[in-house]
Amino acid sequence: MAHLDWSAQPATPLVIDGVTLEYQCYGPAPDQAMTIVLLHEGLGCAALWRDFPARLAQRTGMGVLVYSRRGYGQSDPVQLPRPLDFMTREAVDVLPGVLDRAGVRQCILFGHSDGATIAAIYAGSVEDFRVRGLILMAPHFFTEPMGLAEIAKAKQLFETTDMKDRMAKYHRDPEGAFRGWNDVWLDPGFVDWNVAEVIDYLRVPVLAIQGRDDQYGTLAQIEEIETRSYAPVDLAILDDCRHAPQFEQSEAVLAETAEFAARLARIEAAEVVPV
């Protein structure tokens, strides 16, 4: 199978099980360097990372692959309602195909919000030795009342303001993108959702990033990683920062990521000297 067109404006489609996904690539291709795979938040897409992927590639010297999950950005629409375990399904059923199709050899999964959860689920559920590290930014492992309250506010905004029109600038199907996220999180059956057990099975280094003032989750999400992970965990708790550290504290996020990535690269390059 041919690999992706490794460019910011690719001509070759990314098709997984008959579904076409929007994607962009920056920096060196997977056969030249380690790849950072960016997984967007619940209302995100490739375009909504703005210039962060390009800056990340420049700062780390690694390749960066960013794609829009089904139902987001310019990817194919998704059938609603989404199942309550949609993040697990994205991790187990879709992400392996993305990595294969991209020709990834060694990678860091870098997820934001729901994307961070998907990254953690993948690393904790699928044995994939290509994954050398995780960067989990504002992850969710269980629901919290304050986060659900913010999601309820988002529903009100969507229904009473021009939020849908603003989303249409980035999403082919803004209604589907919003409902596919919001309806699941506000479903009564989702209150008890908890996937923290995947942390017990992580076997690669983790960088956990969160804004101290994150409105969608408390530091209990990060503490869960710190207390449960068998693998090494680095923490970056950012002041004056809410749910979007990549924009609100972009320099700090880039610096932390570059240091973490460089350390992983040194480990991969280290020669084992026979005794």
Side-chain angles (χ1 to χ4, degrees):
M1 181 182 294
H3 291 160
L4 300 182
D5 176 8
W6 199 265
S7 70
Q9 296 180 316
T12 304
L14 167 55
V15 182
I16 306 297
D17 295 330
V19 177
T20 299
L21 303 178
E22 173 188 29
Y23 75 98
Q24 299 166 358
C25 305
Y26 300 87
D31 61 346
Q32 299 171 1
M34 190 179 292
T35 305
I36 298 174
V37 181
L38 289 178
L39 303 168
H40 64 75
E41 63 178 317
L43 290 182
C45 64
L48 282 170
W49 284 100
R50 304 178 196 169
D51 65 347
F52 185 77
R55 295 174 67 196
L56 188 60
Q58 183 178 34
R59 192 69 169 263
T60 63
M62 295 182 176
V64 175
L65 167 65
V66 54
Y67 72 98
S68 300
R69 296 191 295 275
R70 185 176 187 178
Y72 297 99
Q74 303 308 307
S75 293
D76 283 351
V78 69
Q79 183 176 354
L80 300 179
R82 286 185 185 271
L84 299 189
D85 64 346
F86 77 95
M87 285 182 270
T88 296
R89 296 191 187 198
E90 285 285 348
V92 175
D93 298 338
V94 181
L95 185 52
V98 172
L99 300 182
D100 291 345
R101 186 76 174 81
V104 166
R105 300 184 179 186
Q106 298 177 343
C107 71
I108 299 170
L109 299 180
F110 184 150
H112 174 219
S113 194
D114 286 9
T117 306
I118 292 168
I121 292 173
Y122 186 78
S125 304
V126 178
E127 188 177 57
D128 188 342
F129 295 109
R130 293 174 297 185
V131 178
R132 297 299 210 263
L134 294 176
I135 300 175
L136 307 179
M137 185 167 65
H140 307 290
F141 296 102
F142 45 84
T143 60
E144 296 181 277
M146 51 86 77
L148 294 177
E150 287 294 325
I151 293 170
K153 289 180 184 178
K155 179 179 181 180
Q156 183 178 22
L157 289 173
F158 188 80
E159 294 174 346
T160 61
T161 71
D162 66 344
M163 182 176 177
K164 181 177 178 179
D165 292 336
R166 288 185 283 113
M167 287 182 61
K169 297 177 182 178
Y170 302 98
H171 298 283
R172 172 177 164 187
D173 178 13
E175 183 84 24
F178 185 83
R179 298 296 180 189
W181 165 74
N182 194 264
D183 289 357
V184 170
W185 276 90
L186 296 183
D187 189 297
F190 200 69
V191 173
D192 296 325
W193 172 80
N194 189 315
V195 294
E197 67 176 4
V198 300
I199 300 170
D200 300 338
Y201 300 96
L202 300 181
R203 294 295 182 268
V204 294
V206 177
L207 170 60
I209 303 172
Q210 183 152 329
R212 196 176 296 279
D213 303 317
D214 192 324
Q215 70 272 35
Y216 285 101
T218 71
L219 292 178
Q221 306 286 342
I222 301 298
E223 291 166 0
E224 196 81 4
I225 305 172
E226 187 179 24
T227 57
R228 296 184 70 153
S229 178
Y230 174 84
V233 177
D234 291 340
L235 302 180
I237 309 303
L238 306 177
D239 293 327
D240 301 318
C241 184
R242 303 182 80 203
H243 193 60
Q246 72 273 34
F247 305 130
E248 297 165 30
Q249 292 288 352
S250 61
E251 182 56 37
V253 171
L254 288 169
E256 293 283 353
T257 299
E259 181 180 349
F260 180 76
R263 188 160 67 245
L264 290 183
R266 287 196 296 271
I267 292 172
E268 293 300 325
E271 295 182 1
V272 178
V273 180
V275 177

